[in-house]
Amino acid sequence: MSNQVLTMQGIYKSFTGVQALSDVSMTLRKGEVHALMGENGAGKSTLMKVLIGVHQADSGTIIYKNKPINFDSVLDAQRQGISMIFQELNLIPHLSVAENIFFAREPLKHGIINSKKMEHDAAQLLSIFDIDVKPSDIINTLSVAKQQMVEIAKALSFDVEVLIMDEPTSALTEREIEKLFALVDKLRAKGLAIVYISHRMDELKRICDHITIFRDGAYVSDHVFSDISMDEIISKMVGRSLDNHFPKRSCKPTEELVMSVMNAYRNGVFAPLNFDLLKGEILAVTGLVGAKRTELARALFGADKLDEGDIFIHGKQIHIRNPKDAIKAGLAYLSEDRKLNGIAVKMSIKENMTMPSMDKVSNRWGLISAPQEQVASETFINKMDIKTPTIEQLVNNLSGGNQQKVVIGKWLFRDARVMIFDEPTRGIDVGAKYAIYQLLDELAAQGVGVIMISSELPEVLGMSDRVIVMKEGKMTGMLATKDTNQEEIMQYATGVKDMFEHDMELAS
Ligand SMILES: Nc1ncnc2c1ncn2[C@@H]1O[C@H](COP(=O)(O)OP(=O)(O)OP(=O)(O)O)[C@@H](O)[C@H]1O
Ligand SMILES: [Mg+2]
């Protein structure tokens, strides 16, 4: 008796101008976590959307529990035990948590929605999964991480046999990821078949039993996970072997200062921090979760208040009260949750790239000529290998990773003097990562000050000139990259070592 629960066979799917899937197959078994891997735009999300009824395949068959199926809506699929956590969150922002979880299947009493029961059921579900939100919370008041957890609770509120997780951890902190993995282990033990899509090799290694690899919308191979090495996976994904994961740096830091930060301090969040950024330098900021790296970036950018601190760019003191001031002073911040801010999904790639304003904060730019930008954005699209038939394509229709590349592109044309990249390669496939590294190097070579916030130590070591290590809002180390290694950085990140011997508690 085979334990196969679902087989997709010979699936074809095209969109206008794009053959997203051609002759793709995949088999899922009970009680397995099955990785689906491929570069950005390879067709992973599309295949899963075909399965769950968001898209209809052009041809091909899906066999589920020995019967051919074809769902015409997500709800239809969910009712029959197939649920998906979408890469782009799929919640309705102005509705409550409970309303989202039970959307379109609210419990009724005398023909009207029984809110009490709905909130009660939602509360129960949230507590099973240990999710710290209230059923009555409105979605758009929650952090991305919490929204992600709600999305997970919603997926599991059905009687699930097949669960699809499309980059479920992209917005989660390490602690939440741990929780999620514990949950995945439990669900696997219960016999669910789980499809797990992620670009993070470390995660896949931890929880996956099987792997199917795609390239350019086509099936390449599948394997028992422990039978294949990471290098083999990568070469199957990209169709060539990647000997170098990092480009050779083309510039060295000079003596010239681009930015100085003196005694920057935010009450209860981070202790006074001091650092310089040199021309030609890539400065990494690393640390464990809770190190407050993003908080530092947000405060420098004026998105949060800096209680004290002097900031100089090219020797001139700047005063930043809000992001608008920061942008005017030549600062750019590519935030971690690109999904939420920084991109207009209902507009084309071109419009996004050439839009003179960057959401509400930036209606001050606009001095760049549109034709020039069009050429520049076309160049960028080629260079970053954004998978799209034309530059007029709506960003909505791009794969998740390709959307992120568009956001990076947007900022690049803004002539920033200091660019802060917050986890720039998260959600981005290995091939495109290389292109982003090249870009960081080029920016540095052009004299732009580059700050790279990253949790991935190989990338910190592979790309930066110096590393700031933070722990719980304090700088514990400032290291020359060439003289350090992963172990030493971890010692600073965990507080085993501390260059500045902090004994003072952070005021709160
Ligand atoms: N609704 C749509 N309209 C037009 N093209 C689409 C649509 N959805 C997906 N595509 C295209 O189909 C291809 C496959 O996209 P898909 O989202 O499946 O990639 P992916 O493997 O999930 O990538 P990522 O790792 O970046 O999330 C891409 O070229 C994408 O632009
Ligand atoms: Mg995807």
Side-chain angles (χ1 to χ4, degrees), residues 100-148:
N100 266 281
I101 292 177
F102 294 105
F103 188 73
R105 53 187 179 107
E106 297 87 353
L108 300 179
K109 193 174 178 184
H110 311 305
I112 50 170
I113 294 177
N114 184 349
S115 309
K116 235 191 194 144
K117 175 160 172 33
M118 193 162 80
E119 298 220 339
H120 173 264
D121 292 354
Q124 216 167 21
L125 196 66
L126 293 166
S127 78
I128 294 176
F129 301 119
D130 194 15
I131 301 171
D132 179 27
V133 300
K134 287 201 284 295
S136 57
D137 287 343
I138 301 298
I139 291 296
N140 62 20
T141 64
L142 299 175
S143 68
V144 190
K146 290 201 165 146
Q147 293 185 26
Q148 187 100 40

Side-chain angles (χ1 to χ4, degrees), residues 34-50:
H34 196 124
L36 194 52
M37 278 209 88
E39 290 182 283
N40 296 132
K44 304 176 296 289
S45 299
T46 302
L47 182 70
M48 293 301 110
K49 286 179 184 169
V50 163

Side-chain angles (χ1 to χ4, degrees), residues 45 87 166 400:
S45 299
Q87 184 173 15
D166 197 350

Side-chain angles (χ1 to χ4, degrees), residues 291-333:
K292 304 286 195 274
R293 294 158 297 173
T294 292
E295 285 78 357
L296 169 64
R298 286 178 57 88
L300 292 178
F301 190 62
D304 293 330
K305 186 167 155 273
L306 203 55
D307 288 310
E308 249 170 75
D310 297 313
I311 303 173
F312 299 83
I313 291 188
H314 291 292
K316 194 170 147 249
Q317 181 154 22
I318 56 168
H319 298 280
I320 297 172
R321 280 149 310 188
N322 50 45
K324 209 165 170 174
D325 292 345
I327 292 165
K328 242 171 74 187
L331 265 170
Y333 173 48

